[in-house]
Amino acid sequence: MYTTTELFPDVTLRCIRDGRFKHGVLSIRFLRPMCAREASLNALFPELLLRGCRSAPDLRQITARLDELYGASVGTQLSRIGDCQTTGLTCNFLDDRFAAGGDRVLEPMIGFLSELLLCPVLEKDAFCAEYVRGEKRNLISALEAQRNDKQAYATTKLLKNMCKGDSFAVPRLGNIPDVRRITPRSAFDHYQTVLRESPVEIFYVGSAQAEYVAELVRPMFDELPRAVRPLPPRTDFVPAKPSHRSEKMEVSQAKLAMGFVTPITITDPRYAAMQICNSVFGAGQTSKLFMKVREERSLCYAIGSSYYGAKGIVTAYAGIDTERVGQTREAILAQLAACQRGVITERELDAAKEGVLSGLRAVYDSPEAMHGFFSVAAIGGLNRTPQEYAEQIRAVRVEDVVAAANTVQFHSDFFLKGAAHDENVL
Amino acid sequence: MTKTYYDALDETLFRATLPNGLRVIVNKKSGFAKKQCYFAVDFGSVHTDFTFAGENHHVSAGIAHYLEHKMFELPGRDVTAEFAALGTAVNAFTSYDMTAYYISCTENFPQALRLLLEFVSTPYFTDESVAREQGIIAQEIGMSADEPGGRCFENMAAALYERHPIRVPILGTVRLIAEITPQMLYLCHRAFYTPENMVLCVVGDVDENEVCDIARRVLGDEKRPCGEKLPFPTEREDAFEPYVRQNMEVAMPLFSLAFKTTCPEKGEAAVRREVVADLAAEALFGESSPLYMRLYEQGLIDTSFGGGFDTVDGCAMLSCSGDSVDPDAVRAAILAQGRLLAAQGIDEHAFLRMKRSALGRRIQDLDGFASTCYRLCAFEMSEFDYFLFPQIYDMISAEEVRGFIEQTVKEETCCLSVIYPIKEESR
């Protein structure tokens, strides 16, 4: 059962009551505009909150508390939803009925989460300097480590080039110079701004009644000074100038990332058709990219495509031999052209639809999946249920897919060339 | 068919062994739409030497994984498209000691199960299709070679062990897979893809009798001879090489540190060993340990750090991995902490808290269909009923965990594998 409660103005609690699981999920998210100015701050401050709070001032004591709560876990909640960045905390915990001898987990869990969120360890009206130093270092490492995953690296570079000037080009964790500039005071000031000015979304999935969860969560915001500033309106995406770039690394496999644009975004009535179009083109084992480029031509192992509905961008990727880049690029474009010409069998269409439908049916079988689906729907401003979306998917016809494919235009690519000859591979 | 209700977990398992020897486990989940099914073979990349039909065989490393790729073909049919038409996701993995084919779906489960059993039990390889797969797997090997975490582990395994086949990556190498022929694939299929050497496990709201009926109909009731794995070469007790390093395109050094230990037996001993070792990992370098906090505060580890107990047929190790500016310092600190815990023992109060936490996490993990399916299969192959784990926790004492640390965390059994960044000047 899904209920939405307005706890305070701009503080919304959404609960899904479901007693089938052994664990529950609760997240508290603050909604921020996705912008270069605060991306790093939004990424950093929740990490600082997880270093210590009044009754558990260091890592060890935090973990000890979580251990007492039957192995509960707390993490930061940082994500991009459209032009919005969400930041905050999330926790997973054992359902009360599995705790020993009538022990309770949910109530102390929310109490502890509240303390982590609102009572950080401070020094002279700023975050603890030692914690800030450590977490800045970790965030910088995380940013540097992005080059470790070569496929993701190539796609990120591609999107950065395509989306120059748009919120989508702002990296989710910000960038290293911005992190370096953060001080204990600037982080604390920002944290207070976030608490005061941001719309808040609280999401719970578990066995407890919504009223009970509301009762436990409400005190967190009771005395919090609030003066909410509405988020800036969604901006239309204007693609940057097309670019075709490459970079060399000492890797044994090269990575090709290709970017396409479409005017169809998440609020467009053709959105479902566009999602199916992406599935037929490159998502999964029945897609054209998998069947034609991998299975028939053995050009690659990893290949696929993704559709970013918030902006109307499709990306395709493949891990290949450096010298086969021309062949692969042509093969990928040929598969898009096939979709545009309507070379789509009933079987391909059904497989694409079934793939999406199956995912939608399984949303209710995991607290994380429900949390993900419903919170993104709510924050993204698209309040629809999996069933409602499934209806739209079922209604998609071949001609809708072809029409959607014909809006897709090749825009840019990024190629990570391999330069290594690794004897271990041979 | 037996039915067992596990009160502490509020779960029900049905178990049966079919006339053909296949073990079937059904974890009934009423009220869930999703169905997850594993069809697992007790055959992985380390099983390259075996006896079958009176003859000794040696096959190329990487063949178990190659075979897994090639199983997705049936003569004149497109298995992937048939699953897609049923709205079923299908995939497979090969580990060092298991190959598993798995499906998940919300509808059409009986048809999907039938198709799963059918394609995994029907070998069909031609020279042409085997040759075509080489290009694809060569790319998979290339991709995996660029993946620093996996590479770091593989280097460590090859340094820790002198003779055990865990030294060779699961995928094999481009040169090794070039030797694979349809005949070798048929041989491995005949020897190991026999019902007796396999486990069928379903998690979801399904009819357990129907699962058994379908399996009998597709696989038949006949028992078939099964290949016998030859024992692994005798392995030294200490680490073969204490250090191994490689330079790759990474931002910061990453390491994998392991302590070699004796391989657990089967049955209850196996799961008890796993639980003891997990608790030892928690006491030694888990997030609530004093060592973790010290290393984290010194900036020697970050949230990428983690560890636990790994077992592979014939191998066992306590290991940890993560990014670090100074992996040698992490190694030294863990060895010192191991000595300290071995001498002083583990605080009783902290130990109870750790047990409560570990048990709570295992119970929470049961919400994951795929991980539950995997564990049920893996423990079935180790001849233990996984759902009895709460009782195992009750039995374990702090002293047992201390003893494990004393035995395991030693200089001689330790191997440190590090991936360092490529130096700027050599670029």
Side-chain angles (χ1 to χ4, degrees):
Chain A
M1 200 177 45
Y2 184 25
T3 46
T4 302
T5 317
E6 201 72 14
L7 293 179
F8 296 96
D10 291 304
V11 179
T12 312
L13 170 68
R14 298 176 202 275
C15 291
I16 295 183
R17 187 175 185 207
D18 195 325
R20 294 174 302 159
F21 301 106
K22 296 183 167 49
H23 79 290
V25 178
L26 181 90
S27 70
I28 300 181
R29 310 209 231 204
F30 298 86
L31 312 190
R32 306 297 303 163
M34 183 83 228
C35 62
R37 200 167 37 82
E38 55 178 81
S40 293
L41 286 160
N42 288 335
L44 187 75
F45 87 78
E47 300 289 354
L48 297 169
L49 301 181
L50 294 183
R51 288 298 298 270
C53 64
R54 198 168 45 207
S55 71
D58 63 35
L59 270 183
R60 213 178 143 201
Q61 294 186 60
I62 288 180
T63 312
R65 285 282 285 278
L66 295 170
D67 282 351
E68 293 287 354
L69 291 169
Y70 299 86
S73 58
V74 182
T76 61
Q77 222 311 319
L78 190 74
S79 53
R80 178 203 301 277
I81 300 175
D83 290 306
C84 166
Q85 184 179 33
T86 74
T87 178
L89 298 177
T90 181
C91 58
N92 296 320
F93 42 86
L94 191 68
D95 190 85
D96 281 354
R97 75 195 156 108
F98 294 98
D103 221 355
R104 285 178 171 205
V105 181
L106 181 64
E107 189 183 332
M109 180 76 243
I110 292 180
F112 188 43
L113 191 69
S114 163
E115 221 190 301
L116 287 167
L117 185 67
L118 301 173
C119 312
V121 176
L122 298 182
E123 285 169 0
K124 296 178 243 153
D125 290 331
F127 279 122
C128 164
E130 190 200 323
Y131 291 173
V132 174
R133 230 182 350 262
E135 293 311 317
K136 275 171 70 173
R137 192 173 52 215
N138 288 343
L139 185 52
I140 289 170
S141 304
L143 282 160
E144 284 172 344
Q146 286 175 343
R147 71 187 273 124
N148 292 6
D149 181 342
K150 313 298 182 246
Q151 193 71 68
Y153 177 82
T155 301
T156 306
K157 281 273 181 163
L158 169 77
L159 288 172
K160 229 175 167 172
N161 292 336
M162 288 177 76
C163 302
K164 219 167 262 166
D166 189 88
S167 80
F168 226 59
V170 177
R172 198 174 57 98
L173 301 178
N175 58 50
I176 292 172
D178 287 340
V179 180
R180 289 200 206 284
R181 273 194 290 276
I182 296 174
T183 63
R185 172 54 68 91
S186 72
F188 184 67
D189 288 347
H190 181 72
Y191 154 75
Q192 291 203 302
T193 307
V194 169
L195 289 184
R196 188 174 60 244
E197 296 181 356
S198 318
V200 183
E201 285 279 342
I202 303 160
F203 214 95
Y204 167 80
V205 184
S207 62
Q209 286 194 22
E211 296 78 30
Y212 178 56
V213 179
E215 201 181 295
L216 296 176
V217 169
R218 195 175 279 116
M220 274 192 227
F221 297 90
D222 247 348
E223 285 166 28
L224 202 64
R226 298 269 291 162
V228 174
R229 280 209 204 182
L231 290 167
R234 195 183 148 268
T235 51
D236 281 334
F237 170 57
V238 183
K241 223 170 78 210
S243 69
H244 305 279
R245 295 193 191 173
S246 65
E247 197 177 303
K248 212 174 204 167
M249 266 200 208
E250 288 200 30
V251 288
S252 35
Q253 188 183 62
K255 311 284 183 190
L256 174 65
M258 297 174 73
F260 305 81
V261 290
T262 163
I264 302 175
T265 57
I266 197 155
T267 48
D268 193 299
R270 298 168 294 176
Y271 175 72
M274 187 61 227
Q275 198 187 357
I276 295 303
C277 173
N278 176 58
S279 294
V280 170
F281 173 53
Q285 296 163 0
T286 56
S287 70
K288 288 184 181 293
L289 292 186
F290 191 92
M291 294 306 293
K292 306 286 177 189
V293 185
R294 167 175 154 157
E295 295 290 304
E296 276 182 22
R297 300 189 53 188
S298 304
L299 281 169
C300 51
Y301 168 73
I303 187 162
S305 72
S306 312
Y307 170 45
Y308 302 82
K311 293 290 155 186
I313 293 173
V314 176
T315 59
Y317 66 90
I320 53 174
D321 282 339
T322 297
E323 58 270 25
R324 285 167 156 186
V325 62
Q327 264 169 287
T328 310
R329 193 187 281 116
E330 271 166 42
I332 290 173
L333 289 172
Q335 294 318 313
L336 175 64
C339 296
Q340 290 169 331
R341 285 198 312 275
V343 188
I344 298 170
T345 62
E346 276 302 316
R347 227 179 169 175
E348 284 176 304
L349 180 71
D350 289 345
K353 285 162 105 170
E354 268 306 322
V356 177
L357 290 171
S358 197
L360 289 169
R361 283 192 289 262
V363 162
Y364 290 101
D365 287 342
S366 130
E368 283 74 20
M370 277 193 264
H371 176 263
F373 185 93
F374 285 98
S375 61
V376 170
I379 297 168
L382 207 70
N383 263 319
R384 61 183 170 202
T385 64
Q387 294 90 327
E388 285 158 0
Y389 188 50
E391 273 316 305
Q392 295 173 16
I393 291 289
R394 266 190 282 268
V396 173
R397 301 160 307 167
V398 171
E399 49 269 41
D400 303 324
V401 178
V402 176
N406 277 292
T407 68
V408 178
Q409 286 184 328
F410 176 51
H411 183 274
S412 291
D413 56 13
F414 183 86
F415 184 49
L416 187 65
K417 278 188 222 173
H421 292 283
D422 189 334
E423 70 211 45
N424 292 311
V425 178
L426 303 169
Chain B
M1 174 94 58
T2 60
K3 177 183 179 180
T4 315
Y5 177 71
Y6 302 82
D7 193 33
L9 306 174
D10 188 23
E11 291 290 349
T12 304
L13 285 188
F14 292 90
R15 291 172 178 275
T17 303
L18 302 185
N20 59 24
L22 180 73
R23 286 158 287 172
V24 179
I25 309 171
V26 175
N27 178 203
K28 188 121 167 175
K29 294 266 204 188
S30 300
F32 284 85
K34 181 171 169 170
K35 286 111 185 141
Q36 177 91 45
C37 173
Y38 267 52
F39 193 21
V41 196
D42 193 345
F43 175 57
S45 71
V46 299
H47 301 126
T48 49
D49 292 275
F50 56 90
T51 307
F52 184 63
E55 271 182 65
N56 276 6
H57 296 277
H58 173 80
V59 290
S60 294
I63 198 164
H65 171 256
Y66 209 100
L67 181 58
E68 173 230 299
H69 267 237
K70 289 319 297 168
M71 287 314 301
F72 285 79
E73 278 172 34
L74 282 177
R77 289 168 63 180
D78 183 343
V79 174
T80 314
E82 288 185 37
F83 274 115
L86 294 169
T88 299
V90 61
N91 216 329
F93 68 79
T94 306
S95 69
Y96 287 109
D97 55 8
M98 185 202 277
T99 309
Y101 300 82
Y102 55 95
I103 54 172
S104 75
C105 61
T106 49
E107 288 174 356
N108 307 314
F109 175 73
Q111 293 94 310
L113 174 62
R114 206 169 293 134
L115 185 56
L116 171 72
L117 294 163
E118 207 179 335
F119 92 83
V120 177
S121 62
T122 313
Y124 170 65
F125 319 115
T126 63
D127 287 329
E128 193 223 336
S129 75
V130 170
R132 197 173 52 227
E133 203 66 26
Q134 270 172 12
I136 297 172
I137 296 181
Q139 287 303 329
E140 189 179 359
I141 291 172
M143 182 173 91
S144 139
D146 291 334
E147 203 280 292
R151 183 31 78 79
C152 190
F153 181 88
E154 288 172 355
N155 290 348
M156 182 272 288
L160 191 61
Y161 286 86
E162 185 182 14
R163 304 172 71 191
H164 190 280
I166 194 174
R167 296 176 48 87
V168 184
I170 293 165
L171 304 184
T173 63
V174 174
R175 200 179 299 138
L176 286 169
I177 62 163
E179 297 167 1
I180 292 171
T181 61
Q183 290 68 36
M184 285 161 86
L185 295 174
Y186 279 115
L187 169 69
C188 290
H189 191 276
R190 266 202 316 279
F192 294 109
Y193 284 48
T194 63
E196 224 174 333
N197 195 45
M198 299 173 79
V199 176
L200 180 68
C201 177
V202 186
V203 177
D205 197 352
V206 299
D207 177 344
E208 60 284 357
N209 289 312
E210 193 181 16
V211 171
C212 291
D213 288 347
I214 292 172
R216 285 183 69 172
R217 240 176 294 142
V218 177
L219 304 174
D221 281 348
E222 190 202 347
K223 266 198 181 167
R224 285 194 284 125
C226 185
E228 198 176 321
K229 296 162 191 161
L230 292 176
F232 296 113
T234 319
E235 181 68 44
R236 60 204 290 163
E237 277 178 21
D238 60 346
F240 171 44
E241 290 175 85
Y243 288 98
V244 54
R245 57 180 293 166
Q246 187 184 343
N247 292 71
M248 285 179 74
E249 287 275 7
V250 292
M252 172 193 323
L254 60 121
F255 70 93
S256 180
L257 174 74
F259 298 92
K260 191 182 201 173
T261 169
T262 50
C263 198
E265 294 151 40
K266 299 229 164 192
E268 190 184 301
V271 74
R272 182 166 185 145
R273 186 70 181 292
E274 179 179 306
V275 169
V276 167
D278 275 344
L279 289 169
E282 201 53 47
L284 186 60
F285 49 59
E287 279 183 46
S288 62
S289 68
L291 180 65
Y292 181 94
M293 188 168 96
R294 199 168 73 231
L295 294 175
Y296 191 97
E297 286 184 346
Q298 290 172 350
L300 287 171
I301 58 170
D302 57 29
T303 48
S304 66
F305 180 84
F309 187 55
D310 295 306
T311 53
V312 165
D313 194 356
C315 307
M317 60 183 95
L318 184 71
S319 70
C320 60
S321 61
D323 297 333
S324 177
V325 286
D326 189 355
D328 285 292
V330 177
R331 175 187 178 276
I334 289 176
L335 276 166
Q337 185 71 10
R339 280 191 295 271
L340 187 78
L341 286 178
Q344 295 184 348
I346 299 162
D347 171 66
E348 195 60 38
H349 178 73
F351 182 70
L352 288 175
R353 199 182 61 218
M354 266 169 19
K355 274 216 299 201
R356 169 194 272 213
S357 172
L359 178 62
R361 273 185 212 168
R362 277 197 196 256
I363 295 174
Q364 293 185 56
D365 283 347
L366 295 177
D367 281 337
F369 282 49
S371 59
T372 301
C373 237
Y374 171 77
R375 288 213 164 99
L376 286 169
C377 287
F379 279 97
E380 180 61 36
M381 289 178 186
S382 302
E383 296 158 23
F384 183 75
D385 177 358
Y386 177 63
F387 279 9
L388 294 177
F389 69 79
Q391 300 171 19
I392 301 285
Y393 278 93
D394 281 345
M395 289 190 268
I396 290 169
S397 67
E399 173 51 27
E400 192 172 351
V401 174
R402 188 206 63 80
F404 177 84
I405 292 174
E406 184 173 35
Q407 259 177 29
T408 308
V409 184
K410 292 186 292 202
E411 192 97 33
E412 317 83 87
T413 59
C414 174
C415 172
L416 176 65
S417 163
V418 184
I419 304 288
Y420 287 101
I422 293 168
K423 289 208 174 59
E424 283 302 327
E425 59 266 33
S426 69
R427 267 205 190 128

